[in-house]
Amino acid sequence: MNERELRGLIADVKVGSLSRRAFVRRMVALGLTAPLAAQMLAYNGVALAQSKSMYKPTKAGGGGVLKVLWWQGPTLLNPHFAVGTKDQDGSRIFYEPLAAWDDDGFLMPVLAAEIPSLENGGVSKDGLSVTWKLKKGVKWHDGKPFTADDCIFNWKYASDPASAAYTIASYKDVEVEKVDDHTIKVLFPSPTPFWADAFVGARGCMIPKHLFEAYSGEKSRDAPTNLSPVGTGPYLFEEFKPGDLVRGKINPNYHEANKPHFDAIEMKGGGDAVSAARAVLQTGEYDFAWNMQVEDAILKRLEEGGKGKVHITLGGSIEHIQLNNTDPWTEVDGARSDISTKHPSLTDMAVRKALNVLVDRQAVEDHIYGRTGKATANFLNNPERFASKKTSFELNVEKAIKLLDEGGWKPGSDGIREKNGVKLKFVYQTSINQPRQKTQAIIKQACQKAGIDIEVKAVTASVYFSSDVGNPDTYTKFYTDIQMYTTTQPQPDPGVFMNQFTSDQVATKANKWQGRNITRWQNAEYDKLFLAAGGELDPVKRAEMFIKMNELVIENVVVIPVVWRGGVAAVSNKLHAPLSGWDNNTFNIKDWYRDA
């Protein structure tokens, strides 16, 4: 589409012959993100549409108990420390952001009175600030009022390196001013095209100043409210057994009329994905089950039970393999995989490239994931505009052997390749579930043919994805050579998603392993591109920068993408549960209801 056609479409929106949503969807089909498409309208003087709720109940309560299964149960309930999706989802039952992302990539107000725009004066024309008007009359669960002071506190709390907050990247480079009790202004250091980061979505959930102020900085992990949340959400906290159970009851003073529908919520943790799918799809014991990382053939059989259906939301989640750039077997100052060390073999490009062609992605899609995951060569896949067309993948054992031979890695007497006394023997870890163990087996078999020895390690999911800084088996510590898991893309814009390869995000002991760069790869060109993209207002130029970032990650084999995964949930036939590929599973739990 050329510039003239694009301006013609914008003119159609202005006169009302084309809806805003239709315009945005058309742009997304062409490869732009929904926020960038919406931004085009905003910069041309078109007011943005608000996401509409499909909620039907006419009164709060009366829905009984909502029973949901997270087979990896939450281990803490502070959104600023919620590294894993399970902890983010558990926290979101009680805590809320100023705005959330719906499945079309539109912002919907939660604690905000409205979504900022050029038209209402919320977004500055120079891209240097955004002003949020807060909803009035909102109260914390203990009855205290929610005000701008809470927003200022959350900014200071998250941006303080001593707090070691997972959310630090969204807050550390901005300034936040209080305009009045119900208005804040976020100031950016340079023109910022994507302003909906701080205070939005999973990273935007508000914690109360009056309960956390005494536990800022170094004391952040000592707050009793880390395990007994007091938020603004639709449910009041009742009980928490880490890794096992989260229980809440209806908030009678919730700030939205006639919500929530359910009298209570029980989030059960533990078990495995297959039994969770069966409990919804076949037996009907539960209303909803999260993250159905189950072979698609099994899901189809369970759906025949007639109690529920599989719901797939497409975002940017990627099941990928990470290669450790640091030495996981050498201890420095009481920690392994320290940034000062270098992996003895995985920093050799010949080894990295060989591993890349030993991953049979197509077999993983065809025989394991089916409709729930697509084989890919890209880390950044969605929206399509950001997906590189230059990358490709293949299974080629002969090519791997040639790469290793040319790199000087020769087979030893035991058949395992070695060079300068270093053997190609790797520990490959992931969480326990059947698709991941089958993927490990496929990759191990191919590696054996090339003379690479793989020891597979499977860690209980609740341990692997734990936020416990004392746990040596978490994926953020990465105390093995290779590991695999799914990372989610929390927004339709790739800015936050791609900061996990920047040098300032390296996970270390000093930041309690909360940094998002877990491979510990550092690249000056990547850092420069990421910084430039943060201030590029031209959506076309910005997209080109992210495409190049993705290509740098793939060309350097920092990670090996396996499948681009949809968000897969099991949902009861009677449950209405609006989900989004761009936000938490529980992002809109206030709108969930059950047919009588």
Side-chain angles (χ1 to χ4, degrees), residues 76-84 87-88 91-92 95-96 140 150-160 163-171 198-208 212 220-221 226 467 511 514:
L76 56 77
L77 296 174
N78 181 332
H80 287 294
F81 302 147
V83 174
D87 295 326
Q88 294 169 14
S91 299
R92 198 70 174 267
Y95 293 114
E96 298 177 307
W140 296 102
D150 292 299
C151 297
I152 299 295
F153 168 73
N154 275 263
W155 160 58
K156 291 180 178 179
Y157 179 94
S159 60
D160 182 355
S163 294
Y166 163 73
T167 53
I168 187 172
S170 296
Y171 297 91
F199 304 112
V200 174
R203 292 166 166 266
C205 289
M206 299 285 101
I207 60 175
F212 283 91
S220 64
R221 292 305 193 281
N226 287 339
S467 300
N511 61 31
Q514 297 289 296

Side-chain angles (χ1 to χ4, degrees), residues 389-535:
K389 305 300 188 293
K390 293 182 181 178
T391 58
S392 61
F393 65 84
E394 62 176 327
L395 172 68
N396 194 326
V397 177
E398 292 73 20
K399 185 175 181 178
I401 290 172
K402 183 179 179 183
L403 283 164
L404 294 171
D405 283 341
E406 291 175 349
W409 295 92
K410 303 300 182 182
S413 57
D414 55 2
I416 301 171
R417 291 178 179 270
E418 59 182 287
K419 183 171 74 171
N420 299 328
V422 176
K423 284 183 171 290
L424 294 186
K425 299 182 70 172
F426 303 125
V427 175
Y428 170 17
Q429 76 173 359
T430 189
S431 65
I432 294 176
N433 73 44
Q434 198 171 47
R436 286 193 170 132
Q437 270 66 76
K438 287 196 170 186
T439 301
Q440 281 181 312
I442 289 172
I443 295 168
K444 178 176 181 175
Q445 185 177 39
C447 285
Q448 285 176 330
K449 294 177 181 178
I452 299 174
D453 183 63
I454 297 289
E455 177 188 337
V456 296
K457 178 181 179 181
V459 183
T460 302
S462 60
V463 173
Y464 189 52
F465 295 107
S466 170
S467 300
D468 178 8
V469 296
N471 176 1
D473 288 323
T474 63
Y475 76 102
T476 57
K477 285 188 174 173
F478 197 0
Y479 283 179
T480 62
D481 306 289
I482 302 169
Q483 68 176 358
M484 180 174 67
Y485 63 94
T486 288
T487 190
T488 58
Q489 186 173 335
Q491 304 157 325
D493 184 90
V496 173
F497 184 64
M498 294 300 282
N499 80 351
Q500 62 191 282
F501 299 110
T502 60
S503 297
D504 65 351
Q505 279 290 310
V506 170
T508 65
K509 180 182 179 181
N511 61 31
K512 297 183 173 65
W513 295 278
Q514 297 289 296
R516 299 190 69 232
N517 185 345
I518 296 165
T519 66
R520 283 90 172 179
W521 177 71
Q522 297 183 77
N523 182 281
E525 183 182 0
Y526 187 97
D527 290 344
K528 186 178 179 180
L529 274 169
F530 185 85
L531 183 64

Side-chain angles (χ1 to χ4, degrees), residues 303 459 588:
E303 282 181 307
V459 183
N588 202 19

Side-chain angles (χ1 to χ4, degrees), residues 53-63 256-262 576 590-596:
S53 171
M54 302 302 289
Y55 185 77
K56 291 183 179 179
T58 56
K59 68 180 183 69
E256 289 197 28
N258 305 321
K259 298 179 183 180
H261 168 67
F262 295 98
H576 296 265
K590 62 187 173 64
D591 278 8
W592 288 25
Y593 68 95
R594 184 194 292 127
D595 288 333

Side-chain angles (χ1 to χ4, degrees), residues 29-67:
L30 290 172
L32 287 177
T33 64
L36 289 177
Q39 200 171 56
M40 284 177 156
L41 295 178
Y43 279 115
N44 283 276
V46 180
L48 299 184
Q50 299 285 347
S51 180
K52 293 182 179 179
S53 171
M54 302 302 289
Y55 185 77
K56 291 183 179 179
T58 56
K59 68 180 183 69
V65 179
L66 173 63
K67 299 181 69 177

